[in-house]
Amino acid sequence: MSTDEIVIAGNPNAGKTSVYNRLTGASQQVSNYPGVTVEYKSGVMRHAGKRLTVVDLPGAYSLTAYTQEELVARNYIVDRKPALIVDVVDASNLERNLYLTTQILEMRAPTVIALNMMDAAERRGYQVDAARLSQLLGVPVIPTVASRGTGVNELRDACIAVIEGRLDAMPAPVRFGHAVDEEIAALTGQVGAYPSLVEMFAPSWLATKLIEKDPVVYGQARAIAPEDAASLKALADEAAHRIETHFDADAATIVAEHRYGIAAGVVKACVSFTAQARRDMTDQIDKIVCNRLLGPVILVGVVAMLFFWVFKLSDEWAWLPWPGGWQSPTGVVAWSFDVLSSFLSPLEAYAPMLHSLLDAGIIGGVGGVLNFVPLIFFMFLFVSALEDSGYIARVAFILDRPLRVFGLQGKSILAFIVAGGIGAGGCAVPGIMATRTMREDKDRLLTMLVTPFMNCGAKMPVYAMLIAAFFPGDRILVMMTLWALSWVTALCAAWVLRRTIVRGTQTPFVMELPPYHLPVLRGVLRHTWERTWMYIKKAGTIILAINIVLWALMYFPRPPDEVDDSDALAYSMAGRAGKTLEPVSAAAGFDWKTNIALIGGFAAKEVVVGALGTAYALEDQTDENYHSLSERLAAHPDWNPVRGFALMIFVMLYAPCFVTIAVIRRESGSWKWAAFATLYSTALAFVLAVITYQVGMVLLPYF
Amino acid sequence: MKKTLFDLITGDTARIVRIHENAPACVRMRLLDMGLTKGAALRVERHAPLGDPVEIVLKGYRLAIRMSEARSIEVELIAEREFSPASS
């Protein structure tokens, strides 16, 4: 048993994350995405001189083996045997929340219940008797309103008291009722005969799960003691059979119904109606937001507003006071890099190679990426606020039917939105992680395979540069076109994949529509920062490294003296690779220098602009008249708007970045799908870029 | 002809009789987990703009279910929707 670990479990929407944030407070360092390198979000709680690790388990409605999230939560408790489980229960939705609670209590581990959202329960006109609840369940119950911090200190005190052994938190045995209890008790006795199993599982829990015919638990038991598990399984099957004949339904159903029976009994004993419920806000809002006619209109309106505000706040409005006049957040970042670059310029005379590396390779590459941090930040700020408010669930509700035509489902929408599906500038990594809430494997896989087509923040620098070069007057129009194209491609790809490679029957869609509430600023900012930080970190690590490697590949080997200096790039390693591909890529209008950039972009698309900049800057060092890459390309005889547009299409669609590929591999469970995602999207991107270029070149003279 | 959730209209309240055995085990378990147990009362709140999925209220919370799953939830009607001049 680990003595200093607390895990937080609970239903989605019960305020689990608020409790976690409150417990760990500011002391928690913002770590990786749960899942990128570590499977769980964890932080440190300091209280009363103690230092405890707090782990946030994924939200779950149940601890059966039907979804990834539930399995992760359950296995964590089984494997790690935490010192304490904090079960976050939504007091305003007590009965369904207690269903999970009974399953947690069945695991026979010390548990404290955070009876959260007491304010919402009161608003709905009822009072929950925490003392009575504690008495019935046999574990401490602390009333909280985590979003406001109410009751959090008491919760911390209780956690410490349990860990120090001053407070008993061992749950009372769960009683299912006549005929079921007897079978579980008998089998529990049998389990006691196998010490290796008792070491791993609470005997009564193992007995219950075996009677429920839970395949995962059986597998775990068999891994420890194959023969013991098999003989127990035989006994459990007999017990299940007796229960099934008695109730005329399958054992798992009976046990589940009994759990709800317990929950209903507890609710009856602990909840009293104090007042007439005030008019339910959620009903009023839903009447408008989910209305057959208004709903879709509002949805479009919300997306348009998001688009508008993100661009205005991050880029177009100069609203930050800054030395030398008002600046937009993007302006501030650009300003900082200009200053940095001017500091470096004296270096050029003394150490041209170092200057080239720092200026073109690092400032050009990383700076171009960090320019988009404000945009990403505001994008995630609005998306997190929408997620927190409960509106995204309504979007899924409204769009489930139309998405089903393409083999997707309502919940796919969250992945698309987080990956940049509305407005611009998200990230496919958290997008793919967002598919974890989908119980349906096929739908989930399909969503993962098409999510990278959305216009993530990494593609923004490329678009911005090419739009500035070739479509300076039509920025909004081109962005809207790219946005529409990403959706059309994602949906069509899903449609085709569903009918070919990811075949399977349509799977169930059951989704809670949580009550609306005002987003909690703290939580939203925290979530936004985590997602933005990931983008910044990528710029500082992977992208920096690739930029340096690419720069080196483009700089070395240096040509021998007899070769003209302007051919140095062609002579370099990257130049040779680019030239090799040129006969093929020419069909889409890409020259060898573009190829170099696109090869670099396999790792991360942010690299494309920097690499293209380096390639063109290295190639012609003769004139320094061009202020930016955009100007250089706009004036370049080989480039035209069609070629620019074909490049944007290719960048939008080709292979997901390395981090995304790694996440697809982990979330889909196999390299096969990660490799498939890379290959099919690159092939698709190339075909579409060729079509764009060829058709565009035919039409170009007419414009 | 047995009534299912599929047949109900907005405003109807009903009690769950059973989940059809022919529904796949994962569907049945999922519905159970969300509280669609035998005897539970529910009210049909609304349908999505394209008529599917359906939103119901049960055990004091809102749940969206596809019509294809609604077909496997057998119910008995408690009360038909009340006439109200505001609804159309």
Side-chain angles (χ1 to χ4, degrees), chain A residues 556-674:
Chain A
F556 298 107
R558 299 305 292 164
D561 288 338
E562 64 269 21
V563 177
D564 191 352
D565 227 27
S566 64
D567 286 335
L569 179 63
Y571 194 83
S572 73
M573 250 178 303
R576 291 176 212 194
K579 288 230 161 171
T580 314
L581 287 174
E582 199 172 29
V584 182
S585 69
F590 307 151
D591 64 355
W592 58 277
K593 278 167 279 177
T594 312
N595 289 347
I596 297 175
L598 291 175
I599 294 169
F602 265 100
K605 289 179 183 177
E606 294 96 326
V607 169
V608 172
V609 171
L612 211 53
T614 313
Y616 276 86
L618 284 176
E619 180 213 30
D620 100 279
Q621 288 161 329
T622 46
D623 61 329
E624 289 297 327
N625 296 332
Y626 299 119
H627 185 67
S628 68
L629 177 60
S630 292
E631 284 171 30
R632 200 188 288 270
L633 291 188
H636 202 286
D638 291 351
W639 282 80
N640 60 43
V642 171
R643 191 166 149 183
F645 197 70
L647 182 57
M648 284 195 267
I649 299 224
F650 189 79
V651 169
M652 179 201 293
L653 303 175
Y654 89 117
C657 69
F658 281 178
V659 183
T660 307
I661 293 172
V663 172
I664 294 177
R665 139 85 187 95
R666 214 205 37 241
E667 297 294 314
S668 70
S670 85
W671 278 113
K672 191 185 83 180
W673 288 115

Side-chain angles (χ1 to χ4, degrees), chain A residues 99 260 400 404 439 511, chain B residues 30 33 52 61-62 64 66:
Chain A
Y99 177 73
Y260 263 111
D400 179 61
R404 211 181 317 161
R439 287 199 167 212
M511 182 186 67
Chain B
R30 175 70 166 148
D33 283 345
D52 188 8
Y61 83 100
R62 298 172 186 79
R66 273 190 187 161

Side-chain angles (χ1 to χ4, degrees), chain A residues 359-378:
Chain A
D359 199 50
I362 296 176
I363 296 187
V366 176
V369 174
L370 291 183
N371 251 331
F372 286 84
V373 167
L375 187 124
I376 306 261
F377 176 83
F378 283 106

Side-chain angles (χ1 to χ4, degrees), chain A residues 384-644:
Chain A
S384 303
L386 279 182
E387 260 180 276
D388 203 25
S389 73
Y391 183 63
I392 299 281
R394 273 69 186 183
V395 177
F397 177 66
I398 293 170
L399 292 181
D400 179 61
R401 185 70 193 85
L403 283 174
R404 211 181 317 161
V405 174
F406 303 97
L408 296 161
Q409 56 141 289
K411 278 187 234 163
S412 311
I413 208 76
L414 180 60
F416 294 166
I417 289 174
V418 174
I422 44 178
C427 178
V429 173
I432 285 165
M433 311 269 295
T435 62
R436 282 188 177 180
T437 56
M438 296 164 73
R439 287 199 167 212
E440 304 74 15
D441 280 351
K442 288 275 166 63
D443 293 11
R444 184 163 179 241
L445 180 61
L446 197 59
T447 309
M448 277 194 257
L449 289 177
V450 300
T451 296
F453 290 145
M454 295 293 135
N455 287 320
C456 72
K459 299 172 192 171
M460 290 295 123
V462 188
Y463 297 163
M465 189 276 291
L466 290 167
I467 288 174
F470 301 111
F471 310 95
D474 302 313
R475 183 177 173 194
I476 302 286
L477 181 72
V478 175
M479 278 309 297
M480 289 297 277
T481 311
L482 291 171
W483 173 77
L485 276 173
S486 69
W487 273 90
V488 170
T489 314
L491 293 177
C492 293
W495 190 89
V496 172
L497 290 175
R498 188 84 211 200
R499 275 153 189 82
T500 50
I501 293 156
V502 195
R503 269 210 211 121
T505 48
Q506 290 270 327
T507 38
F509 172 77
V510 184
M511 182 186 67
E512 183 185 3
L513 297 167
Y516 290 103
H517 60 85
L518 271 181
V520 185
L521 189 65
R522 261 176 91 112
V524 169
L525 283 177
R526 192 167 184 153
H527 206 180
T528 305
W529 177 242
E530 282 172 15
R531 289 170 166 180
T532 311
W533 177 241
M534 168 129 176
Y535 181 83
I536 298 174
K537 217 169 85 173
K538 197 170 132 194
T541 53
I542 296 185
I543 291 164
L544 179 64
I546 295 163
N547 269 314
I548 294 173
V549 170
L550 267 181
W551 173 85
L553 288 175
M554 283 191 266
Y555 200 82
F556 298 107
R558 299 305 292 164
D561 288 338
E562 64 269 21
V563 177
D564 191 352
D565 227 27
S566 64
D567 286 335
L569 179 63
Y571 194 83
S572 73
M573 250 178 303
R576 291 176 212 194
K579 288 230 161 171
T580 314
L581 287 174
E582 199 172 29
V584 182
S585 69
F590 307 151
D591 64 355
W592 58 277
K593 278 167 279 177
T594 312
N595 289 347
I596 297 175
L598 291 175
I599 294 169
F602 265 100
K605 289 179 183 177
E606 294 96 326
V607 169
V608 172
V609 171
L612 211 53
T614 313
Y616 276 86
L618 284 176
E619 180 213 30
D620 100 279
Q621 288 161 329
T622 46
D623 61 329
E624 289 297 327
N625 296 332
Y626 299 119
H627 185 67
S628 68
L629 177 60
S630 292
E631 284 171 30
R632 200 188 288 270
L633 291 188
H636 202 286
D638 291 351
W639 282 80
N640 60 43
V642 171
R643 191 166 149 183

Side-chain angles (χ1 to χ4, degrees), chain A residues 24-257:
Chain A
T24 53
S27 70
Q28 187 230 355
Q29 79 260 26
V30 177
S31 58
N32 279 300
Y33 257 92
V36 171
T37 51
V38 281
E39 198 63 50
Y40 322 93
K41 234 205 267 195
S42 77
V44 171
M45 172 179 117
R46 289 191 182 84
H47 187 64
K50 279 253 168 187
R51 197 175 174 282
L52 300 164
T53 307
V54 182
V55 176
D56 193 18
L57 295 181
Y61 291 106
S62 171
L63 294 179
T64 47
Y66 284 102
T67 61
Q68 212 52 41
E69 297 192 302
E70 291 170 1
L71 263 181
V72 165
R74 189 174 89 181
N75 286 341
Y76 196 93
I77 298 172
V78 171
D79 295 338
R80 299 289 298 265
K81 310 210 185 324
L84 175 65
I85 302 171
V86 173
D87 174 24
V88 181
V89 167
D90 176 1
S92 69
N93 186 1
L94 196 56
E95 191 169 340
R96 204 207 57 219
N97 275 257
L98 284 176
Y99 177 73
L100 177 72
T101 301
T102 54
Q103 295 184 63
I104 291 172
L105 299 182
E106 282 168 39
M107 297 184 83
R108 312 277 309 134
T111 304
V112 169
I113 290 176
L115 188 59
N116 199 26
M117 303 199 180
M118 289 297 277
D119 55 337
E122 269 165 43
R123 271 200 303 277
R124 296 183 67 176
Y126 46 84
Q127 203 82 50
V128 183
D129 184 346
R132 182 93 181 95
L133 187 63
S134 169
Q135 195 187 353
L136 285 172
L137 301 177
V139 297
V141 175
I142 314 292
T144 57
V145 183
S147 58
R148 285 195 262 122
T150 315
V152 173
N153 254 324
E154 291 81 348
L155 183 60
R156 287 205 189 105
D157 286 336
C159 292
I160 302 280
V162 170
I163 296 211
E164 288 181 345
R166 287 182 283 116
L167 181 65
D168 180 27
M170 195 45 119
V174 175
R175 300 258 169 259
F176 293 97
H178 161 70
V180 179
D181 278 343
E182 287 83 348
E183 295 293 353
I184 291 175
L187 194 63
T188 304
Q190 301 287 341
V191 175
Y194 305 105
S196 58
L197 293 176
V198 174
E199 206 172 291
M200 185 67 180
F201 307 100
S204 58
W205 187 73
L206 179 58
T208 313
K209 286 291 144 191
L210 288 178
I211 288 176
E212 282 184 285
K213 300 182 179 145
D214 188 299
V216 176
V217 170
Y218 176 54
Q220 286 166 336
R222 212 174 38 187
I224 297 168
E227 281 146 42
D228 302 353
S231 53
L232 273 177
K233 173 95 176 106
L235 291 170
D237 284 345
E238 285 170 29
H241 183 72
R242 283 191 294 273
I243 292 173
E244 282 165 2
T245 8
H246 188 277
F247 290 98
D248 191 28
D250 72 289
T253 304
I254 296 301
V255 174
E257 281 180 346

